[in-house]
PDB file of all heavy atoms in Angstrom:
ATOM      1  N   PRO A 255     -19.002 -60.484 -17.191  1.00 98.00           N
ATOM      2  CA  PRO A 255     -20.185 -61.252 -16.775  1.00 98.00           C
ATOM      3  C   PRO A 255     -20.137 -61.567 -15.262  1.00 98.00           C
ATOM      4  O   PRO A 255     -21.173 -61.678 -14.647  1.00 98.00           O
ATOM      5  CB  PRO A 255     -20.115 -62.523 -17.618  1.00 98.00           C
ATOM      6  CG  PRO A 255     -18.743 -62.611 -18.122  1.00 98.00           C
ATOM      7  CD  PRO A 255     -18.232 -61.232 -18.226  1.00 98.00           C
ATOM      8  N   VAL A 256     -18.920 -61.738 -14.718  1.00 98.00           N
ATOM      9  CA  VAL A 256     -18.793 -62.038 -13.324  1.00 98.00           C
ATOM     10  C   VAL A 256     -19.297 -60.919 -12.438  1.00 98.00           C
ATOM     11  O   VAL A 256     -20.067 -61.065 -11.523  1.00 98.00           O
ATOM     12  CB  VAL A 256     -17.345 -62.452 -13.007  1.00 98.00           C
ATOM     13  CG1 VAL A 256     -17.089 -62.454 -11.459  1.00 98.00           C
ATOM     14  CG2 VAL A 256     -16.952 -63.750 -13.598  1.00 98.00           C
ATOM     15  N   ILE A 257     -18.849 -59.659 -12.806  1.00 98.00           N
ATOM     16  CA  ILE A 257     -19.227 -58.576 -11.963  1.00 98.00           C
ATOM     17  C   ILE A 257     -20.680 -58.024 -12.348  1.00 98.00           C
ATOM     18  O   ILE A 257     -21.353 -57.482 -11.489  1.00 98.00           O
ATOM     19  CB  ILE A 257     -18.197 -57.397 -11.973  1.00 98.00           C
ATOM     20  CG1 ILE A 257     -18.058 -56.815 -13.397  1.00 98.00           C
ATOM     21  CG2 ILE A 257     -16.906 -57.847 -11.413  1.00 98.00           C
ATOM     22  CD1 ILE A 257     -17.166 -55.541 -13.402  1.00 98.00           C
ATOM     23  N   ALA A 258     -21.057 -58.255 -13.559  1.00 98.00           N
ATOM     24  CA  ALA A 258     -22.424 -57.872 -13.925  1.00 98.00           C
ATOM     25  C   ALA A 258     -23.427 -58.619 -13.059  1.00 98.00           C
ATOM     26  O   ALA A 258     -24.498 -58.096 -12.663  1.00 98.00           O
ATOM     27  CB  ALA A 258     -22.693 -58.212 -15.387  1.00 98.00           C
ATOM     28  N   GLY A 259     -23.050 -59.841 -12.683  1.00 98.00           N
ATOM     29  CA  GLY A 259     -23.916 -60.649 -11.811  1.00 98.00           C
ATOM     30  C   GLY A 259     -23.788 -60.343 -10.342  1.00 98.00           C
ATOM     31  O   GLY A 259     -24.446 -61.046  -9.529  1.00 98.00           O
ATOM     32  N   GLY A 260     -22.963 -59.420  -9.963  1.00 98.00           N
ATOM     33  CA  GLY A 260     -22.834 -59.029  -8.543  1.00 98.00           C
ATOM     34  C   GLY A 260     -21.703 -59.738  -7.790  1.00 98.00           C
ATOM     35  O   GLY A 260     -21.640 -59.575  -6.578  1.00 98.00           O
ATOM     36  N   ASN A 261     -20.895 -60.524  -8.489  1.00 98.00           N
ATOM     37  CA  ASN A 261     -19.758 -61.164  -7.843  1.00 98.00           C
ATOM     38  C   ASN A 261     -18.602 -60.176  -7.769  1.00 98.00           C
ATOM     39  O   ASN A 261     -18.591 -59.162  -8.450  1.00 98.00           O
ATOM     40  CB  ASN A 261     -19.279 -62.363  -8.610  1.00 98.00           C
ATOM     41  CG  ASN A 261     -20.298 -63.421  -8.733  1.00 98.00           C
ATOM     42  OD1 ASN A 261     -20.538 -64.184  -7.787  1.00 98.00           O
ATOM     43  ND2 ASN A 261     -20.918 -63.530  -9.917  1.00 98.00           N
ATOM     44  N   THR A 262     -17.604 -60.497  -6.946  1.00 98.00           N
ATOM     45  CA  THR A 262     -16.314 -59.778  -7.010  1.00 98.00           C
ATOM     46  C   THR A 262     -15.269 -60.824  -7.492  1.00 98.00           C
ATOM     47  O   THR A 262     -15.517 -62.014  -7.435  1.00 98.00           O
ATOM     48  CB  THR A 262     -15.918 -59.220  -5.668  1.00 98.00           C
ATOM     49  OG1 THR A 262     -15.686 -60.328  -4.783  1.00 98.00           O
ATOM     50  CG2 THR A 262     -17.022 -58.349  -5.090  1.00 98.00           C
ATOM     51  N   CYS A 263     -14.106 -60.361  -7.933  1.00 98.00           N
ATOM     52  CA  CYS A 263     -13.128 -61.283  -8.491  1.00 98.00           C
ATOM     53  C   CYS A 263     -11.707 -60.856  -8.276  1.00 98.00           C
ATOM     54  O   CYS A 263     -11.391 -59.704  -8.030  1.00 98.00           O
ATOM     55  CB  CYS A 263     -13.413 -61.515  -9.973  1.00 98.00           C
ATOM     56  SG  CYS A 263     -13.340 -59.985 -10.961  1.00 98.00           S
ATOM     57  N   VAL A 264     -10.879 -61.876  -8.367  1.00 98.00           N
ATOM     58  CA  VAL A 264      -9.397 -61.695  -8.422  1.00 98.00           C
ATOM     59  C   VAL A 264      -8.943 -62.294  -9.718  1.00 98.00           C
ATOM     60  O   VAL A 264      -9.228 -63.452 -10.006  1.00 98.00           O
ATOM     61  CB  VAL A 264      -8.704 -62.397  -7.236  1.00 98.00           C
ATOM     62  CG1 VAL A 264      -7.213 -62.178  -7.334  1.00 98.00           C
ATOM     63  CG2 VAL A 264      -9.265 -61.926  -5.926  1.00 98.00           C
ATOM     64  N   VAL A 265      -8.282 -61.515 -10.554  1.00 98.00           N
ATOM     65  CA  VAL A 265      -7.930 -61.925 -11.890  1.00 98.00           C
ATOM     66  C   VAL A 265      -6.442 -61.968 -12.081  1.00 98.00           C
ATOM     67  O   VAL A 265      -5.703 -61.031 -11.672  1.00 98.00           O
ATOM     68  CB  VAL A 265      -8.506 -60.937 -12.989  1.00 98.00           C
ATOM     69  CG1 VAL A 265      -8.411 -61.512 -14.328  1.00 98.00           C
ATOM     70  CG2 VAL A 265      -9.944 -60.575 -12.627  1.00 98.00           C
ATOM     71  N   LEU A 266      -5.964 -63.040 -12.662  1.00 98.00           N
ATOM     72  CA  LEU A 266      -4.539 -63.116 -13.064  1.00 98.00           C
ATOM     73  C   LEU A 266      -4.478 -62.774 -14.572  1.00 98.00           C
ATOM     74  O   LEU A 266      -5.044 -63.476 -15.348  1.00 98.00           O
ATOM     75  CB  LEU A 266      -3.988 -64.493 -12.789  1.00 98.00           C
ATOM     76  CG  LEU A 266      -2.477 -64.670 -13.086  1.00 98.00           C
ATOM     77  CD1 LEU A 266      -1.630 -63.709 -12.298  1.00 98.00           C
ATOM     78  CD2 LEU A 266      -2.059 -66.104 -12.842  1.00 98.00           C
ATOM     79  N   ALA A 267      -3.756 -61.671 -14.867  1.00 97.00           N
ATOM     80  CA  ALA A 267      -3.694 -61.222 -16.265  1.00 97.00           C
ATOM     81  C   ALA A 267      -2.816 -62.154 -17.081  1.00 97.00           C
ATOM     82  O   ALA A 267      -2.116 -63.037 -16.589  1.00 97.00           O
ATOM     83  CB  ALA A 267      -3.134 -59.815 -16.240  1.00 97.00           C
ATOM     84  N   SER A 268      -2.812 -61.887 -18.374  1.00 95.00           N
ATOM     85  CA  SER A 268      -1.928 -62.652 -19.306  1.00 95.00           C
ATOM     86  C   SER A 268      -0.485 -62.467 -18.848  1.00 95.00           C
ATOM     87  O   SER A 268      -0.027 -61.352 -18.550  1.00 95.00           O
ATOM     88  CB  SER A 268      -2.101 -62.090 -20.691  1.00 95.00           C
ATOM     89  OG  SER A 268      -1.035 -62.512 -21.509  1.00 95.00           O
ATOM     90  N   GLU A 269       0.245 -63.563 -18.714  1.00 95.00           N
ATOM     91  CA  GLU A 269       1.622 -63.537 -18.286  1.00 95.00           C
ATOM     92  C   GLU A 269       2.499 -62.803 -19.295  1.00 95.00           C
ATOM     93  O   GLU A 269       3.321 -61.934 -18.936  1.00 95.00           O
ATOM     94  CB  GLU A 269       2.147 -64.949 -18.052  1.00 95.00           C
ATOM     95  CG  GLU A 269       3.613 -64.975 -17.644  1.00 95.00           C
ATOM     96  CD  GLU A 269       4.116 -66.389 -17.449  1.00 95.00           C
ATOM     97  OE1 GLU A 269       3.294 -67.340 -17.473  1.00 95.00           O
ATOM     98  OE2 GLU A 269       5.337 -66.563 -17.350  1.00 95.00           O
ATOM     99  N   THR A 270       2.292 -63.118 -20.559  1.00 93.00           N
ATOM    100  CA  THR A 270       3.173 -62.584 -21.584  1.00 93.00           C
ATOM    101  C   THR A 270       2.771 -61.252 -22.139  1.00 93.00           C
ATOM    102  O   THR A 270       3.557 -60.471 -22.676  1.00 93.00           O
ATOM    103  CB  THR A 270       3.271 -63.532 -22.748  1.00 93.00           C
ATOM    104  OG1 THR A 270       1.956 -63.859 -23.208  1.00 93.00           O
ATOM    105  CG2 THR A 270       4.011 -64.832 -22.351  1.00 93.00           C
ATOM    106  N   LYS A 271       1.457 -60.908 -21.955  1.00 94.00           N
ATOM    107  CA  LYS A 271       0.945 -59.660 -22.463  1.00 94.00           C
ATOM    108  C   LYS A 271       0.178 -58.907 -21.367  1.00 94.00           C
ATOM    109  O   LYS A 271      -1.074 -58.802 -21.463  1.00 94.00           O
ATOM    110  CB  LYS A 271       0.055 -59.926 -23.698  1.00 94.00           C
ATOM    111  CG  LYS A 271       0.831 -60.528 -24.849  1.00 94.00           C
ATOM    112  CD  LYS A 271      -0.047 -60.864 -26.003  1.00 94.00           C
ATOM    113  CE  LYS A 271       0.854 -61.132 -27.169  1.00 94.00           C
ATOM    114  NZ  LYS A 271       0.564 -62.263 -27.957  1.00 94.00           N
TER     115      LYS A 271
END
Side-chain angles (χ1 to χ4, degrees):
Chain A
V256 166
I257 62 171
N261 298 284
T262 65
C263 59
V264 181
V265 191
L266 182 59
S268 165
E269 177 183 348
T270 53
K271 298 178 166 135

